[in-house]
Amino acid sequence: MGVAVAVTLIVSTTGREPQSITLDLPRIVVGRGASADVRLPSRAVSDLHAVLHSDKHEVAIVDEGSTNGTRVNGSPLPRGRRKLLRDGDVITVAPFTLRVQVGFARPDPPERTASLARRLLLDALATQSDEAAPPRLVLLTGKEAGAAWMLPPAPARLVVGREPGCDIVLDDRECSKQHAELLRDAEGIVVRDLGSRNTLLVGGQPVRERRLRHGDEVAMGRTVLRYHEPTEALLRSLEVGGDDPPPEMPAEPAPVEPAAVSVPPPAAPEAPAETLSATVSQIEKAAEDGAPLDRAALTSAKPTVSRGNFDWVVLVLAVVVLTVSVSALVLLLAGRR
């Protein structure tokens, strides 16, 4: 693999100012964990969510089996499948959008990863109408142990020392009049030695200048102060625990049962041909004998017909009755002769 091309990711959330980070790494990890190169502070983002692979020829992205998935230009990215990225493509990871810019640019320093995460977290808190508590220094030694100094918003500068005119006055003869200064910028807090006689210690090590992290202990003379950064503490709390599950999909409506259909009863069976023939024979015999028709017998012998065949049965009977009547009339006239 050749030299990686620089990739700039412009990260934004709804209603907040976009933040950007430029990296020239061959493997750029996007996730919630502390080891991610692009840290996105939300439990909807997996610890290792996706990875961008970059070389001098192309940039591609792979979803590493995240809980809530990844989208590229609005389309779901199948987990584990490599997809090439173009300049201007938009990656969606939970509530964050990352617009891709590919080119040769100067990469940001490593600490930019942490500052980006803090900035995004502050934006998320602001979106929820909430605010993170300001950073502070807490005194660990002496009679006033437990006292705390809140640090003003950036940009700010505070001088720490024994001199009464200092912003933070320490009652310690081993501390210089102006021992150190605290500089607050958008990235956090930097402590700088002002030429103290007993040096400045951070974590037990002498330093001239150091960017503080949550929990760092700063010693000036015999005085020890602990730095508290609530935003960073919250970021660390996001490193433990599982991912938030995907939002539940709305339940599908229950299927509509079809309306009951009234089925007519089956038609009565058609009258057998023998029954109809017997009825006609009875009528003809009565006509020959000149006897009146036995209506009761005819009624009992009436065939049962289906509704569908009723019309043609009636027509046949009418023709038969007419024929018998004509025959009877002819026989009657012939007898009188």
Side-chain angles (χ1 to χ4, degrees):
M1 180 177 290
V3 178
V5 66
V7 177
T8 298
L9 297 173
I10 302 174
V11 187
S12 60
T13 54
T14 303
R16 310 307 300 177
E17 183 179 353
Q19 308 290 324
S20 68
I21 184 169
T22 301
L23 302 165
D24 61 353
L25 304 173
R27 186 175 184 269
I28 301 171
V29 176
V30 178
R32 189 181 79 237
S35 60
D37 302 298
V38 181
R39 256 180 108 181
L40 303 179
S42 169
R43 288 201 177 277
V45 180
S46 297
D47 188 65
L48 171 59
H49 199 102
V51 174
L52 276 67
H53 299 273
S54 172
D55 59 28
K56 63 181 180 180
H57 299 294
E58 61 187 25
V59 178
I61 184 172
V62 177
D63 185 294
E64 296 292 336
S66 66
T67 299
N68 290 286
T70 306
R71 291 178 175 269
V72 177
N73 297 327
S75 300
L77 178 63
R79 291 173 174 84
R81 185 178 299 178
R82 182 184 179 95
K83 180 176 178 58
L84 293 179
L85 295 174
R86 298 180 179 179
D87 190 73
D89 281 349
V90 176
I91 304 168
T92 303
V93 176
F96 302 99
T97 59
L98 296 79
R99 184 175 295 278
V100 179
Q101 291 183 351
V102 181
F104 296 94
R106 183 176 181 178
D108 288 321
E111 57 266 23
R112 176 59 180 153
T113 293
S115 65
L116 172 67
R118 283 196 296 269
R119 183 70 259 170
L120 292 173
L121 181 59
L122 291 173
D123 286 347
L125 291 172
T127 301
Q128 300 168 11
S129 299
D130 198 357
E131 292 184 2
R136 65 188 185 275
L137 285 173
V138 179
L139 183 62
L140 301 181
T141 57
K143 297 179 181 179
E144 301 295 327
W149 292 269
M150 301 296 176
L151 305 180
R157 177 181 182 270
L158 290 86
V159 176
V160 183
R162 192 180 75 246
E163 190 174 66
C166 292
D167 299 291
I168 299 177
V169 179
L170 303 178
D171 185 12
D172 182 356
R173 290 183 177 276
E174 299 295 325
C175 182
S176 298
K177 291 182 178 181
Q178 292 189 354
H179 200 107
E181 64 179 355
L182 298 169
L183 304 173
R184 186 175 184 186
D185 56 20
E187 310 297 326
I189 301 291
V190 172
V191 61
R192 180 182 297 159
D193 194 315
L194 293 178
S196 64
R197 62 184 181 184
N198 291 322
T199 70
L200 171 69
L201 302 177
V202 176
Q205 301 297 319
V207 298
R208 296 298 300 173
E209 182 176 313
R210 173 74 62 85
R211 184 170 292 278
L212 297 179
R213 298 188 62 189
H214 174 71
D216 280 347
E217 292 188 359
V218 182
M220 303 179 193
R222 296 179 180 273
T223 303
V224 180
L225 304 120
R226 177 174 291 153
Y227 175 64
H228 285 266
E229 172 56 85
T231 303
E232 189 172 346
L234 183 54
L235 283 174
R236 292 186 185 181
S237 72
L238 290 173
E239 296 172 14
V240 297
D243 303 343
D244 284 347
E248 294 184 4
M249 299 298 292
E252 295 185 1
V256 179
E257 294 290 337
V261 179
S262 179
V263 180
E270 296 184 5
E274 303 86 69
T275 304
L276 184 58
S277 176
T279 303
V280 174
S281 300
Q282 183 182 5
I283 296 174
E284 290 178 343
K285 185 175 184 303
E288 292 177 355
D289 296 342
L293 293 175
D294 186 351
R295 297 182 181 275
L298 288 177
T299 302
S300 62
K302 182 174 65 177
T304 303
V305 297
S306 64
R307 184 174 181 179
N309 297 323
F310 181 77
D311 292 341
W312 73 264
V313 172
V314 172
L315 178 61
V316 170
L317 289 176
V319 172
V320 171
V321 171
L322 179 60
T323 302
V324 171
S325 299
V326 172
S327 299
L329 180 60
V330 172
L331 291 175
L332 181 61
L333 293 176
R336 289 183 177 181
R337 290 181 184 176

